[in-house]
Amino acid sequence: VGAQVTYSCDTHLVLVGETVATCSLPSLTWLPSSDDVTCAQPAALQSYSLYISTDGDKRGSSLSTAEAVATTGV
């Protein structure tokens, strides 16, 4: 009782919800619940596309933000 955990996200995501949960009585549950916490893409990144071209032209492949993060690590 009283123990705490801290939620965090990968560096390219933002935490939505409380950052700290505490073990509470009477049911010995974590409050807030981990169901109330999630990681999401920052709003500014949700609508961008990344164009990748291997030959320098501007007709490269369009990737979603999630695919771009997976591809570039950024």
Side-chain angles (χ1 to χ4, degrees), residues 1 23-29 31:
V1 175
C23 183
S24 303
L25 289 174
S27 59
L28 296 176
T29 57
L31 297 175

Side-chain angles (χ1 to χ4, degrees), residues 1-7 19-24 29-32:
V1 175
Q4 294 186 324
V5 295
T6 301
Y7 298 114
T19 58
V20 177
T22 304
C23 183
S24 303
T29 57
W30 294 100
L31 297 175

Side-chain angles (χ1 to χ4, degrees), residues 12-14 40-49 65 69:
H12 63 278
L13 300 173
V14 294
Q41 293 180 359
L45 294 178
Q46 290 177 353
S47 63
Y48 285 93
S49 294
T65 303
V69 168

Side-chain angles (χ1 to χ4, degrees), residues 33-45:
S33 166
S34 61
D35 294 337
D36 299 328
V37 179
T38 188
C39 296
Q41 293 180 359
L45 294 178

